[in-house]
Amino acid sequence: MPASPIRKLVPYAEKAKKAGRIVYHLNIGQPDIETPEVMLNAIKTATIKTIEYSHSAGNDSYRRKLVGYYKACNIGIDPEKDIIITTGGSEALLIAMMSCFDPGDEVIIPEPFYANYNGFANAADVIVKPVRSYIETGFSLPAIAEFEKRINPKTRGIIICNPGNPTGCLYTRAELELLKALVLKYDLFLLADEVYREFCYDGKEFVSVMHLAGIESNVVLLDSISKRYSACGARIGALISKNSDVMNAALRFAQARLSPPTYGQIGAEAAIDTPAEYFRKVKEEYIERRDYVVETLNKMEGVLCPKPSGAFYCIARLPIDDADKFCQWLLESFNHNNQTVMLAPATGFYSTPGAGINEVRIAYVLKKESLKKALECLEVGLKVYNKN
Amino acid sequence: MPASPIRKLVPYAEKAKKAGRIVYHLNIGQPDIETPEVMLNAIKTATIKTIEYSHSAGNDSYRRKLVGYYKACNIGIDPEKDIIITTGGSEALLIAMMSCFDPGDEVIIPEPFYANYNGFANAADVIVKPVRSYIETGFSLPAIAEFEKRINPKTRGIIICNPGNPTGCLYTRAELELLKALVLKYDLFLLADEVYREFCYDGKEFVSVMHLAGIESNVVLLDSISKRYSACGARIGALISKNSDVMNAALRFAQARLSPPTYGQIGAEAAIDTPAEYFRKVKEEYIERRDYVVETLNKMEGVLCPKPSGAFYCIARLPIDDADKFCQWLLESFNHNNQTVMLAPATGFYSTPGAGINEVRIAYVLKKESLKKALECLEVGLKVYNKN
């Protein structure tokens, strides 16, 4: 498994910090938003004498309460059959790939996509076939004909992330209906990473793969509380499907790793009671940040940044030769008032060699004041870099 | 991945409980011992506002403090290079297998062995070649000649569990020196699951694979705090090696799953300060239970149970035709004063078909009073079963 372009930058960021420079991190999906108090308090006040294993599919009380959460999302699930609590969305993805596919099987994923999908595909011995989406169309779903070109007897599934990391793109119902027809035509699995469900903007409708009638046995939903409650370190996710063969296979893998974390589950169960006001505020905050970031970027000479409708990322095309080089240069050789910015080169999100060479992903996970300084660094950096 | 014999019994145990019967669980490695207060308190009093991802290799402060713990075990490690904090010992095993071996590689494991090794081997696409140990010799290390018979060009490693689950067998220094010679002769990896390190009895010396001089690059230590602090649900383990290639590969897998659980790490770091008195009491308790269980079993007609020197398991040979059938019968059809006992059929711990057919694993993880009642059920059960 090769190191990703972001990880290659980490030592440069550490070096810059050691040298006393302030580094603004727009490179990671770690929000600065506070975790809901109801979640933190549940962990503080839990009366545990022995930290025991939970059920391999997760605590029964948590699964039952989650049914209510999903019901409010218009997703009907059975707490005993359709859901396995996982150690983060990461494990949900890994287990799903191992449960749905055999070694050597192929899956089609619109690129750019979350780079860790490669790690899980590698571990499950599954081959990723990318189908490209483009910045010019805001990374909307690639044409179905492009998917079909990649389908062969080894193709067993499609993986989507909606709303998208790293694109922020929110798929429309029409796009999902096209995918559904494709899934039916070739009897494929449709795995959907919907961990940014709570982060949809501008009144646009979120459509889950679980809302698509007639492909219930093909659909696997991958979820996580990391972003929803800003609780990435709790390591709680979920794998959901109506396909009993998939769930039986997934349970075997879940049993081999024994159980998801106890405290994370206690917190996650309590977090379901997070008041609506929390999400309203968080959404308001992200919309303000997004609008500021996208507007500021598009004002910079030669920069293109489509306005995303979901998640807390955007991808920007920069007037540069090579994003890997530029991002390293920002950390290694540049400073603006003793500050610099760390961005994620988009190359790590594309499988096609050379794709995304002049694109970066920006996570708007910092307060507006820091975002302002970070973007100032980027603007000045672009000018200095291009003069060299 | 087939369901294990223990898991097949779970529905029968649930049915028995629903019918109002008391079921004594001697089938699982979930101790009833309380988690150290210092660990529970650290979690209760943690001041967290946002539950963030930790470093993929675990919190720096935790890794640094662990160095002291291992130093006290006479194991010298570098906190930055030699250790990755994992999500339980399970993940340490899975990552170790994926990091050390290629698909199709073979590993030799003395059987009976912890059944979940099969699950991880399956996920890593590694082929397990069992080498048998026998109840008659207390499950001591199989003859080296038996290992050598199984070595071929695809053989890449050996996995041991010391002290052993499910056997309770503690390997001697002499046995480990034999393994070392073998590892050197064929340049194999030696993966050692030492999660029961704290549970060695009768003044016998615990020897770690990390104590074996001259095979530092071949050794991978797999650890967990689950048993040490009776904190199975915290999901904190560790993968330790001086082999930088292994550690680099392991870190990539660790990065793909992002981070180990936050609260588990906070608790685990605090738990290093657990007073010696805690372990003294726990050990005393386990020795008393072990002595009682082994003595009582050996008094039963036709039962053989070697006295183990470590962990909290023993394997007993029973005067029965088929342990799977007998264990199911105990749950399904037997009751003694409205009570019964759940045991783990040993067949699940052997890879060789038919091996262990009349053996069961008994985990002495209940208070003596419950153990007494559980063994009464077993004794009466054996008589009734053999009359039918």
Side-chain angles (χ1 to χ4, degrees):
Chain A
M1 205 168 22
S4 80
I6 305 180
R7 285 170 199 145
K8 279 187 195 156
L9 293 176
V10 172
Y12 297 102
E14 284 172 2
K15 221 171 153 186
K17 281 185 221 169
K18 270 186 195 158
R21 261 185 296 163
I22 294 167
V23 178
Y24 295 104
H25 285 272
L26 301 187
N27 59 300
I28 42 165
Q30 169 60 60
D32 63 342
I33 302 288
E34 291 188 6
T35 307
E37 270 183 42
V38 65
M39 177 168 183
L40 297 170
N41 286 340
I43 293 167
K44 268 188 195 306
T45 57
T47 51
I48 289 181
K49 289 201 161 181
T50 302
I51 309 175
E52 298 188 350
Y53 291 122
S54 72
H55 191 292
S56 291
N59 285 331
D60 191 59
S61 58
Y62 177 37
R63 277 182 282 147
R64 285 184 189 283
K65 200 163 169 188
L66 262 177
V67 170
Y69 164 78
Y70 286 110
K71 201 176 167 192
C73 301
N74 211 8
I75 296 171
I77 56 165
D78 180 316
E80 289 188 8
K81 292 189 291 186
D82 304 340
I83 183 162
I84 291 174
I85 306 306
T86 58
T87 304
S90 303
E91 192 184 68
L93 263 155
L94 177 61
I95 291 182
M97 286 203 205
M98 294 200 296
S99 304
C100 294
F101 308 125
D102 292 316
D105 281 355
E106 296 184 6
V107 291
I108 302 174
I109 314 183
E111 68 175 357
F113 59 82
Y114 178 49
N116 283 336
Y117 289 177
N118 285 316
F120 305 126
N122 185 296
D125 219 349
V126 166
I127 296 147
V128 173
K129 294 283 167 179
V131 52
R132 186 144 179 203
S133 70
Y134 294 90
I135 195 166
E136 289 82 358
T137 58
F139 301 102
S140 61
L141 193 74
I144 292 299
E146 291 300 316
F147 280 91
E148 287 199 281
K149 272 187 202 162
R150 285 153 183 85
I151 293 177
N152 66 53
K154 294 211 130 196
T155 310
R156 294 285 299 280
I158 295 168
I159 302 178
I160 60 168
C161 181
N162 182 38
N165 172 11
T167 63
C169 175
L170 177 66
Y171 290 143
T172 62
R173 180 175 289 273
E175 286 173 315
L176 288 164
E177 289 289 341
L178 289 172
L179 273 181
K180 169 181 148 178
L182 190 68
V183 159
L184 277 176
K185 184 170 172 187
Y186 296 97
D187 192 20
L188 303 172
F189 280 112
L190 178 58
L191 278 58
D193 173 348
E194 299 183 354
V195 307
Y196 297 96
R197 184 183 305 117
E198 271 72 21
F199 308 95
C200 296
Y201 312 124
D202 314 324
K204 285 189 184 157
E205 176 198 31
F206 167 73
V207 181
S208 168
V209 289
M210 298 286 286
H211 297 154
L212 302 170
I215 55 167
E216 287 78 3
S217 300
N218 302 69
V219 159
V220 181
L221 174 61
L222 309 163
D223 211 348
S224 164
I225 67 151
S226 293
K227 315 296 170 173
R228 189 184 310 155
Y229 306 120
S230 198
C232 299
R235 311 311 299 133
I236 297 295
L239 187 162
I240 295 170
S241 179
K242 298 277 179 192
N243 182 318
S244 59
D245 290 338
V246 168
M247 294 310 286
N248 287 337
L251 186 60
R252 302 270 165 86
F253 287 110
Q255 285 167 334
R257 63 65 162 131
L258 303 171
S259 70
T262 295
Y263 285 98
Q265 286 187 82
I266 290 170
E269 184 174 330
I272 297 173
D273 294 326
T274 300
E277 178 64 8
Y278 173 89
F279 294 107
R280 200 195 53 73
K281 274 192 186 162
V282 169
K283 228 160 129 165
E284 198 177 270
E285 173 73 24
Y286 277 131
I287 290 171
E288 199 186 328
R289 292 178 185 183
R290 176 199 63 170
D291 291 350
Y292 173 73
V293 167
V294 173
E295 199 179 315
T296 307
L297 284 166
N298 282 315
K299 273 186 199 156
M300 294 181 197
E301 207 184 315
V303 174
L304 170 69
C305 178
K307 188 172 178 177
S309 303
F312 36 70
Y313 308 100
C314 57
I315 286 192
R317 178 189 288 168
L318 306 179
I320 49 170
D321 55 342
D322 183 326
D324 295 75
K325 262 171 62 185
F326 175 66
C327 293
Q328 182 179 327
W329 175 86
L330 280 172
L331 295 168
E332 203 179 9
S333 313
F334 172 76
N335 95 67
H336 172 61
N337 300 333
N338 207 30
Q339 299 172 106
T340 191
V341 60
M342 183 166 176
L343 308 169
T347 50
F349 303 112
Y350 287 90
S351 273
T352 305
I357 190 73
N358 57 356
E359 297 175 7
V360 293
R361 183 192 71 176
I362 290 172
Y364 42 96
V365 291
L366 302 181
K367 295 201 174 22
K368 205 176 147 189
E369 202 173 310
S370 301
L371 282 177
K372 201 176 164 207
K373 288 177 185 162
L375 292 183
E376 256 173 46
C377 288
L378 172 61
E379 186 163 23
V380 176
L382 280 172
K383 283 178 190 155
V384 177
Y385 181 80
N386 283 325
K387 264 191 204 150
N388 288 349
Chain B
M1 207 170 20
S4 80
I6 306 180
R7 284 168 200 145
K8 278 187 195 156
L9 293 177
V10 172
Y12 296 102
E14 283 171 1
K15 221 170 155 188
K17 282 185 221 170
K18 271 187 192 154
R21 261 186 295 164
I22 294 167
V23 179
Y24 294 104
H25 286 272
L26 301 186
N27 59 299
I28 42 165
Q30 168 60 60
D32 63 342
I33 303 288
E34 290 187 4
T35 307
E37 269 182 42
V38 66
M39 176 166 183
L40 297 170
N41 285 340
I43 294 167
K44 270 190 192 305
T45 58
T47 51
I48 290 180
K49 289 199 162 181
T50 301
I51 309 175
E52 296 187 351
Y53 290 122
S54 71
H55 191 292
S56 291
N59 285 331
D60 192 58
S61 58
Y62 177 38
R63 276 182 284 146
R64 285 183 190 285
K65 201 162 171 191
L66 263 177
V67 169
Y69 164 78
Y70 286 110
K71 202 177 167 193
C73 302
N74 211 8
I75 296 170
I77 56 165
D78 180 316
E80 288 188 8
K81 291 189 291 187
D82 304 339
I83 183 163
I84 291 173
I85 307 304
T86 57
T87 304
S90 303
E91 192 185 67
L93 264 156
L94 176 62
I95 291 182
M97 286 203 205
M98 294 199 296
S99 303
C100 295
F101 309 124
D102 292 318
D105 281 355
E106 296 184 5
V107 290
I108 302 174
I109 313 183
E111 67 175 356
F113 60 81
Y114 178 49
N116 283 335
Y117 290 177
N118 286 317
F120 305 128
N122 184 296
D125 219 348
V126 166
I127 295 148
V128 172
K129 294 282 167 181
V131 51
R132 188 148 177 200
S133 71
Y134 294 90
I135 195 167
E136 288 81 359
T137 59
F139 301 103
S140 61
L141 193 74
I144 293 298
E146 290 300 316
F147 280 91
E148 288 199 281
K149 272 187 202 162
R150 285 156 182 82
I151 293 176
N152 66 53
K154 295 212 129 193
T155 310
R156 294 286 298 281
I158 294 169
I159 302 179
I160 59 167
C161 180
N162 181 39
N165 172 10
T167 63
C169 175
L170 178 66
Y171 290 143
T172 62
R173 180 175 288 274
E175 285 174 315
L176 288 163
E177 289 290 341
L178 289 172
L179 272 181
K180 170 182 149 179
L182 190 70
V183 160
L184 277 175
K185 185 171 173 186
Y186 296 97
D187 193 21
L188 302 173
F189 280 111
L190 178 58
L191 278 59
D193 173 347
E194 300 182 353
V195 307
Y196 297 96
R197 184 182 304 115
E198 271 70 22
F199 307 96
C200 298
Y201 313 124
D202 314 323
K204 286 190 182 154
E205 177 198 32
F206 168 73
V207 182
S208 169
V209 290
M210 298 286 289
H211 297 153
L212 302 170
I215 54 168
E216 288 77 4
S217 300
N218 301 70
V219 159
V220 182
L221 174 60
L222 309 164
D223 211 347
S224 164
I225 66 151
S226 293
K227 315 295 171 172
R228 189 184 308 154
Y229 307 120
S230 198
C232 300
R235 310 312 299 129
I236 296 295
L239 187 160
I240 295 171
S241 179
K242 298 276 177 191
N243 183 317
S244 60
D245 290 338
V246 169
M247 294 311 286
N248 287 338
L251 186 60
R252 302 272 165 84
F253 286 111
Q255 286 168 333
R257 63 66 162 132
L258 303 171
S259 70
T262 295
Y263 285 98
Q265 287 187 84
I266 290 170
E269 184 173 331
I272 297 173
D273 295 324
T274 301
E277 178 63 8
Y278 173 88
F279 293 107
R280 202 194 51 72
K281 273 193 188 161
V282 169
K283 229 161 129 166
E284 198 177 270
E285 172 75 22
Y286 277 131
I287 290 171
E288 199 187 327
R289 291 179 185 183
R290 176 199 62 168
D291 291 349
Y292 173 73
V293 166
V294 173
E295 197 179 315
T296 307
L297 283 167
N298 282 313
K299 273 187 200 155
M300 294 181 198
E301 206 184 314
V303 174
L304 171 69
C305 179
K307 189 173 176 176
S309 302
F312 35 69
Y313 307 100
C314 57
I315 287 192
R317 177 188 287 168
L318 306 180
I320 49 169
D321 55 340
D322 182 325
D324 295 76
K325 261 171 62 186
F326 175 65
C327 293
Q328 183 178 327
W329 175 86
L330 280 172
L331 296 167
E332 204 180 9
S333 312
F334 172 75
N335 96 69
H336 172 59
N337 300 332
N338 208 31
Q339 300 171 104
T340 192
V341 60
M342 184 167 176
L343 308 168
T347 48
F349 303 112
Y350 287 90
S351 272
T352 305
I357 189 76
N358 56 356
E359 296 173 7
V360 293
R361 183 191 71 177
I362 290 173
Y364 42 96
V365 292
L366 302 182
K367 295 200 175 24
K368 206 174 145 190
E369 201 174 311
S370 301
L371 283 178
K372 201 174 163 208
K373 287 179 186 160
L375 292 182
E376 258 173 43
C377 288
L378 173 59
E379 186 164 22
V380 176
L382 281 172
K383 283 179 191 157
V384 178
Y385 181 78
N386 283 324
K387 265 193 203 149
N388 288 348

